[in-house]
Amino acid sequence: GQQLNQSPQSMFIQEGEDVSMNCTSSSIFNTWLWYKQDPGEGPVLLIALYKAGELTSNGRLTAQFGITRKDSFLNISASIPSDVGIYFCAGQLGSGTASKLTFGTGTRLQVTL
Amino acid sequence: GAVVSQHPSRVICKSGTSVKIECRSLDFQATTMFWYRQFPKQSLMLMATSNEGSKATYEQGVEKDKFLINHASLTLSTLTVTSAHPEDSSFYICSASSGGNSPLHFGNGTRLTVT
């Protein structure tokens, strides 16, 4: 099935540094979502974006819905060790109940002290 | 917030047997649930859309007779892996939405190992 391209694929950063990752698609989505997955667990929703151009924050996390509707980025400021995990973007044509998600390839984040 | 629960979290079975995985929405009703499969170090791939009271919709390449889905109530969907083989070993994750524009929430996944 279709997948969204995420970059970087993985990154090692030091605690306190800011992190930026992005997600691109060849097709348009009407909703963009960012999830974090810890080993052996399901993805946990971080931020949901519903409008092109929208910029939304959740604590140290900020995400934007690209104006072309074909991309999104996620920034994490002042990273801490518990930020370690895999971050997935996901695009949705509709919203909510009946609209399936297409996932990105994932960005593996490791934070060193 | 919306909670989605999966059971079991881990299961080991012998080749040729069948395994049932449950997905429950604990504090909301979900007319639609989704089943994903995730192989190690890979992303989540949608297998099927589970619709309460009707047949599931399967993604291309997913065998409906092998991965049986039943969504008999608004809070429960089950995925049965029939005649499991080692290549079916994977992490199976369900998701559901509480409706409207609410985003999809995921269960904690089921690690299936077929020996």
Side-chain angles (χ1 to χ4, degrees):
Chain A
Q2 181 189 8
Q3 276 193 337
L4 307 177
N5 292 317
Q6 270 183 255
S7 65
Q9 186 175 9
S10 65
M11 52 197 315
F12 290 79
I13 61 168
Q14 287 195 325
E15 184 178 6
E17 288 184 347
D18 296 343
V19 174
S20 184
M21 60 189 78
N22 64 54
C23 186
T24 58
S25 169
S26 58
S27 54
I28 289 172
F29 288 101
N30 293 319
T31 301
W32 283 91
L33 304 161
W34 284 92
Y35 290 87
K36 178 175 182 273
Q37 186 178 30
D38 291 326
E41 298 184 10
V44 173
L45 180 67
L46 299 174
I47 292 180
L49 302 158
Y50 300 105
K51 283 187 192 177
E54 179 182 355
L55 185 71
T56 297
S57 293
N58 177 9
R60 294 178 296 107
L61 278 60
T62 302
Q64 184 158 30
F65 189 146
I67 199 71
T68 65
R69 295 178 182 260
K70 292 185 178 181
D71 61 350
S72 177
F73 73 75
L74 174 71
N75 286 339
I76 305 173
S77 63
S79 58
I80 59 178
S82 61
D83 290 335
V84 165
I86 304 177
Y87 291 79
F88 289 103
C89 63
Q92 204 172 21
L93 280 175
S95 62
T97 309
S99 185
K100 59 188 181 184
L101 295 179
T102 299
F103 277 86
T105 47
T107 295
R108 184 180 297 271
L109 178 64
Q110 297 202 309
V111 180
T112 56
L113 297 175
Chain B
V3 178
V4 177
S5 174
Q6 267 183 256
H7 179 79
S9 57
R10 289 178 179 270
V11 57
I12 300 172
C13 70
K14 290 186 177 179
S15 187
T17 62
S18 296
V19 174
K20 180 186 284 188
I21 303 169
E22 295 184 346
C23 179
R24 294 181 186 273
S25 55
L26 296 185
D27 53 358
F28 64 96
Q29 293 183 333
T31 55
T32 304
M33 293 184 178
F34 301 91
W35 287 96
Y36 291 81
R37 179 167 54 184
Q38 185 179 32
F39 291 107
K41 297 190 177 181
Q42 293 188 22
S43 187
L44 286 78
M45 297 299 292
L46 181 66
M47 298 176 67
T49 303
S50 171
N51 304 299
E52 187 269 336
S54 64
K55 291 183 180 179
T57 305
Y58 290 81
E59 295 299 300
Q60 191 173 5
V62 178
E63 300 175 55
K64 62 179 182 180
D65 294 330
K66 180 168 183 63
F67 298 100
L68 301 178
I69 291 173
N70 185 290
H71 194 155
S73 79
L74 286 170
T75 59
L76 174 64
S77 174
T78 61
L79 169 68
T80 301
V81 183
T82 63
S83 186
H85 289 98
E87 58 265 31
D88 297 324
S89 298
S90 187
F91 194 50
Y92 292 86
I93 312 173
C94 70
S95 70
S97 169
S98 53
N101 289 327
S102 299
L104 289 168
H105 293 273
F106 286 80
N108 265 337
T110 297
R111 171 77 57 195
L112 170 64
T113 303
V114 184
T115 60

